[in-house]
Amino acid sequence: MGKKIVIQRKGQTMKEGTIGHWLKKDGETVKAGEALYELEYDKANCVIEAPADGILHIYQEEGSTLPVGTLIAELLKEGETGSGQQAAAQCLNGEADSKKAAAEGKPQAASGSTERVRATPYARKIARMNGISLQEVPSGKGKNKIVAADVEAWLAKKQMLRTARTEDAVEEKRVPMSAMRRAVAQNMLRSHSEIPSVTYFTEADVTECMNLRKELNEEYREKGVKVSVNDLVLKAAAAALKKHPDINVSLDGEEMVCHAGIHIGIAVAVPGGLVVPVIRDVDRKAPDVLAGEARELAGKALAGSLTGDEMAGGTFTVSNLGNRGIDWFTPIINGNQSAILGVGCVKEKPVVLNGTVAIRSVMALSLTADHRVIDGAPAADFLCTLKRILEKPVFMLI
């Protein structure tokens, strides 16, 4: 009895998966536990292993995006026939017949019915010989009836378009969207079109915060832990969320969910897209523990080994473009959350301090909030509290 290989569900929200790359060839003998193929889903990917010994029979090609549970291959014993082989054989035979007909110069069926369109017999003959549908040919010479001249003009136009595409091929190419890119596109479109969001801006003098980072890294040097600016922003954001639980919320139908835990997603740019792993209970973690978890999750993100659980359950998100030289931007709210913090770069600027001008380290901050559940006043209060904590970082450690 053969062992079926199907698109596996790897997360609660996963509905479909993409075969990224087959690691074994069709007809190859494999052992249980050997890597079979790479599966791309939502914003992650993983390697699927063989569940049993057998000869691999592949039914779906690389790049195919299929619903969860779809049969894509089977592991069979020598001489055994699998349930997917007959369908695959029929498909291959159909392709072979088409290729044979083309080689013999036989006209192929047009893409649509030509019987619904008024046309002269000669026009129909030209259309059949060239494998086109009369439904796509605009009438001109024959007014309400397509004549041969109309078909010939349409063929000439299509040839010009093909020639133009060939000449422009060096400058332009089309590539299918990966499963990750599609997931990002769908999530961003849903968020941008469904959520009435407002973005609030401020700046924070993070000179003392930068000094704290230096002291912490000296303290953690023997542990091999390095605290980043973003780690301190995460810690400060968690402290601010604790003081403003009305920001740590989400909308579920007609109910507002007030989250008990502070679980912050960190936006990580990866080749071909964006993923948001989640650090749980940020408010309860020391800076060195937080820094370690952030590094581990970012490493998994870049390696494409994040699990669905590691990207689920976030209540707030931080997106930092400061290391790319960006000052201000308007981040789009992630998932079913209600707010996201955009972090810009730290720059030295002249600041009035105690009546005198001094050069200080200043960070740009932008908070995007869902106006259905977060009004302007609480959003502004949260951002002001965050600014105060970053300017007096001792508050984030209390």
Side-chain angles (χ1 to χ4, degrees), residues 291-344:
E293 288 192 23
R295 296 297 175 283
E296 181 181 0
L297 288 171
K300 284 187 174 183
L302 293 172
S305 59
L306 284 170
T307 66
D309 291 339
E310 288 172 327
M311 295 187 289
T315 63
F316 186 84
T317 296
V318 171
S319 178
N320 193 332
L321 292 179
N323 60 353
R324 286 174 164 76
I326 297 300
D327 293 321
W328 306 100
F329 65 106
T330 55
I332 296 178
I333 296 171
N334 179 48
N336 62 347
Q337 298 169 18
S338 295
I340 180 172
L341 178 69
V343 182

Side-chain angles (χ1 to χ4, degrees), residues 116-352:
R116 300 177 185 175
V117 181
R118 294 187 63 198
T120 64
Y122 189 43
R124 294 184 187 280
K125 181 178 179 181
I126 296 175
R128 284 196 301 271
M129 290 177 62
N130 289 276
I132 66 171
S133 170
L134 286 175
Q135 292 178 325
E136 63 183 272
V137 179
S139 61
K141 299 291 185 182
K143 295 185 178 179
N144 295 328
K145 179 186 291 187
I146 294 175
V147 297
D150 294 329
V151 180
E152 291 170 348
W154 180 244
L155 287 171
K157 182 177 180 180
K158 292 186 71 173
Q159 181 59 43
M160 289 176 62
L161 291 173
R162 281 195 294 267
T163 302
R165 284 196 294 267
T166 301
E167 292 174 350
D168 294 341
V170 177
E171 301 177 5
E172 177 182 284
K173 66 177 181 179
R174 293 174 178 262
V175 295
M177 294 176 73
S178 65
M180 177 186 294
R181 192 69 260 167
R182 285 199 307 275
V184 171
Q186 291 168 1
N187 292 339
M188 294 300 102
L189 177 61
R190 184 197 64 79
S191 178
H192 191 64
S193 60
E194 295 181 6
I195 298 177
S197 60
V198 180
T199 303
Y200 309 86
F201 303 95
T202 192
E203 287 183 328
D205 181 345
V206 293
T207 305
E208 291 188 25
C209 196
M210 302 299 284
N211 291 336
L212 174 63
R213 179 193 175 215
K214 183 178 179 181
E215 293 175 5
L216 288 173
N217 284 334
E218 289 177 358
E219 181 68 24
Y220 297 146
R221 183 177 299 171
E222 293 184 0
K223 294 183 180 181
V225 175
K226 189 173 182 180
V227 177
S228 70
V229 174
N230 200 58
D231 295 331
L232 293 181
V233 172
L234 292 173
K235 191 65 181 172
L241 287 170
K242 198 166 185 178
K243 292 180 179 293
H244 297 273
D246 50 353
I247 305 299
N248 197 41
V249 298
S250 60
L251 190 62
D252 185 9
E254 295 184 355
E255 294 181 334
M256 191 167 69
V257 181
C258 303
H259 300 288
I262 297 176
H263 313 312
I264 300 181
I266 49 174
V268 180
V270 297
L274 175 77
V275 293
V276 186
V278 176
I279 303 177
R280 305 186 185 282
D281 300 310
V282 177
D283 57 313
R284 301 180 182 180
K285 291 175 178 172
D288 58 332
V289 175
L290 181 60
E293 288 192 23
R295 296 297 175 283
E296 181 181 0
L297 288 171
K300 284 187 174 183
L302 293 172
S305 59
L306 284 170
T307 66
D309 291 339
E310 288 172 327
M311 295 187 289
T315 63
F316 186 84
T317 296
V318 171
S319 178
N320 193 332
L321 292 179
N323 60 353
R324 286 174 164 76
I326 297 300
D327 293 321
W328 306 100
F329 65 106
T330 55
I332 296 178
I333 296 171
N334 179 48
N336 62 347
Q337 298 169 18
S338 295
I340 180 172
L341 178 69
V343 182
C345 61
V346 177
K347 288 185 175 180
E348 290 190 342
K349 291 185 176 182
V351 174
V352 177

